Amino acid sequence: MTLVATHHPSSQRSNRDRLVSEARRLFAEHGYAEVSVDEVAAAANLTKGAVYYQFKDKADLFHAACHAVMEDVVRQVDAAGRGAGTPRLEELMTGGRRMFDAYGTREAHRLLLIDGPSVLGFGPWLALQEPIGACLVADGLKHYAQAGMVPANQIDALSHLLFGAFVQGVLRIASAPPAERDQTERDVRAATGTLLRAFLRGLQQPETP
């Protein structure tokens, strides 16, 4: 699962990549509000005009930086591996653990979880997470549908509901006070396991007449 990249002429793409690379680093270190367009340009050894040639404004640059970080998150979660054929609890459990790991990096934590919702707006921020929902939940649920355990017409709704639980989990970890974050993460990971086990046990129970 990969995000679709926008193609640019080679020289422009090089400048764009340099700007995005420095922007994600600076935004992760200092936060969106504390980083200026001039600082990003200087860090990339480019002019301020070069930034505005590639991006409409600072928010547009931030969105590009979030998109690049999200690509890393998708690759990391997707690398957990998804089995084919017989549905297994481990597919969703492993993917869930990998998701919490991926969102725990400094760049993902700051850009995607702390600044992202307020800078991008909740709708665009949620749309940015969609590739994770697809590779973590929807693809796994298709296996259960093929086994007759989930109605095929419910895959989309179920994947959004389950992925919403994961999103709330990573947001809960991100918003916890630093002194409580480790314990909060342990609690969220354990609760996620409980939720998934209960959900999958329910799928395996025959419906009563």
Side-chain angles (χ1 to χ4, degrees), residues 97-110:
R97 288 192 295 268
R98 189 64 65 93
M99 177 179 170
F100 288 125
D101 292 342
Y103 275 98
T105 66
R106 182 173 66 173
E107 288 185 337
H109 179 265
R110 184 73 201 208

Side-chain angles (χ1 to χ4, degrees), residues 76-101:
Q76 187 171 343
V77 173
D78 200 45
R82 301 188 301 275
T86 304
R88 297 195 305 270
L89 170 66
E90 289 77 9
E91 291 179 25
L92 287 176
M93 295 291 286
T94 301
R97 288 192 295 268
R98 189 64 65 93
M99 177 179 170
F100 288 125
D101 292 342

Side-chain angles (χ1 to χ4, degrees), residues 97-182:
R97 288 192 295 268
R98 189 64 65 93
M99 177 179 170
F100 288 125
D101 292 342
Y103 275 98
T105 66
R106 182 173 66 173
E107 288 185 337
H109 179 265
R110 184 73 201 208
L111 273 72
L112 300 180
L113 302 180
I114 301 300
D115 290 337
S118 59
V119 176
L120 301 177
F122 185 74
W125 174 81
L126 193 60
L128 191 67
Q129 320 301 313
E130 283 299 315
I132 287 288
C135 74
L136 176 60
V137 182
D139 285 351
L141 287 179
K142 289 176 184 177
H143 298 159
Y144 292 90
Q146 291 166 1
M149 298 164 66
V150 174
N153 64 352
Q154 292 184 12
I155 289 177
D156 184 62
L158 279 172
S159 64
H160 279 82
L161 290 170
L162 285 174
F163 182 61
F166 282 111
V167 169
Q168 287 300 316
V170 294
L171 288 174
R172 183 176 178 83
I173 295 168
S175 62
E180 301 174 15
R181 189 164 296 143
D182 287 346

Side-chain angles (χ1 to χ4, degrees):
M1 175 66 62
T2 56
L3 300 180
V4 177
T6 303
H7 296 286
H8 299 272
S10 58
S11 60
Q12 295 182 21
R13 183 61 178 167
S14 177
N15 286 349
R16 183 182 177 90
D17 285 346
R18 286 159 60 188
L19 289 166
V20 169
S21 177
E22 294 301 328
R24 59 188 285 181
R25 178 182 65 82
L26 290 170
F27 287 139
E29 290 178 359
H30 307 291
Y32 177 81
E34 300 302 319
V35 176
S36 68
V37 168
D38 300 81
E39 289 171 323
V40 175
N45 292 316
L46 295 169
T47 65
K48 185 176 180 178
V51 178
Y52 287 112
Y53 183 77
Q54 299 287 344
F55 305 99
K56 292 186 299 184
D57 50 27
K58 179 178 152 182
D60 190 32
L61 173 59
F62 178 77
H63 186 276
C66 286
H67 190 281
V69 173
M70 197 69 218
E71 285 184 319
D72 290 345
V73 171
V74 170
R75 279 192 291 268
Q76 187 171 343
V77 173
D78 200 45
R82 301 188 301 275
T86 304
R88 297 195 305 270
L89 170 66
E90 289 77 9
E91 291 179 25
L92 287 176
M93 295 291 286
T94 301
R97 288 192 295 268
R98 189 64 65 93
M99 177 179 170
F100 288 125
D101 292 342
Y103 275 98
T105 66
R106 182 173 66 173
E107 288 185 337
H109 179 265
R110 184 73 201 208
L111 273 72
L112 300 180
L113 302 180
I114 301 300
D115 290 337
S118 59
V119 176
L120 301 177
F122 185 74
W125 174 81
L126 193 60
L128 191 67
Q129 320 301 313
E130 283 299 315
I132 287 288
C135 74
L136 176 60
V137 182
D139 285 351
L141 287 179
K142 289 176 184 177
H143 298 159
Y144 292 90
Q146 291 166 1
M149 298 164 66
V150 174
N153 64 352
Q154 292 184 12
I155 289 177
D156 184 62
L158 279 172
S159 64
H160 279 82
L161 290 170
L162 285 174
F163 182 61
F166 282 111
V167 169
Q168 287 300 316
V170 294
L171 288 174
R172 183 176 178 83
I173 295 168
S175 62
E180 301 174 15
R181 189 164 296 143
D182 287 346
Q183 183 60 52
T184 299
E185 180 171 352
R186 287 192 290 270
D187 292 344
V188 167
R189 285 176 180 260
T192 300
T194 300
L195 175 65
L196 288 175
R197 284 190 294 271
F199 170 71
L200 294 174
R201 277 199 303 269
L203 292 182
Q204 295 164 2
Q205 296 297 322
E207 293 185 4
T208 56

